[in-house]
Amino acid sequence: MAALTLLAGACGGGGFELSIGDCVRTPPEGAGPDGFADVTVVDCDEPHELEVFHVFELGPEQITGDAMVSEIAQACLGDAWTHYLGVPAGESPIELLPIPPDSDELAAGEDREVICTVREPGGATRTGALRAGSDAAA
């Protein structure tokens, strides 16, 4: 079953942009208390920790607390997950790691984008895409 880990303030003002299908290598030290300051997009055949499968914007009523967590879980674990991975979230050992907007930018109304990423259980590095139908999906 897919696990949900919410990395609060994950973008940390890093200013990076990610798109669906991007495979992402994270810094060796992982996320700091304010999230990722930077990430590197790599070819999915290279070792990476995260793969982007959905991007969406939070509505004004969904920017804090339980409403935000609920919206992220619904948007990331629903049809977008099944379409991208080819299997419902409840039938997959793959983990969800959504990257919400930086909390300061969110509060100021500057950024509402959530990046839904998937990763191997426990955050292990993988080589190959998870996208359904890709030659590297495993």
Side-chain angles (χ1 to χ4, degrees), residues 5 9 18-19 27 34 37 40 46-47 59 61 65 73 77 81 87 91 100 116 120 122 131 135:
T5 303
L18 298 173
S19 301
D34 295 323
T40 303
E46 294 183 34
E61 68 283 355
L77 292 171
W81 175 289
V87 61
E91 297 175 17
C116 301
E120 289 289 329
R131 183 186 294 243
D135 293 334

Side-chain angles (χ1 to χ4, degrees), residues 22-88:
D22 284 349
C23 289
V24 179
R25 185 177 301 138
T26 59
E29 66 276 5
D34 295 323
F36 294 116
D38 197 15
V39 297
T40 303
V41 176
V42 298
D43 186 280
C44 291
D45 291 336
E46 294 183 34
H48 59 277
E49 292 77 30
L50 304 173
E51 185 170 337
V52 179
F53 72 96
H54 184 55
V55 178
F56 73 98
E57 298 225 353
L58 293 168
E61 68 283 355
Q62 302 159 335
I63 63 169
T64 60
D66 291 342
M68 181 169 72
V69 172
S70 177
E71 178 61 20
I72 290 172
Q74 183 176 13
C76 294
L77 292 171
D79 291 340
W81 175 289
T82 303
H83 177 75
Y84 191 87
L85 295 168
V87 61

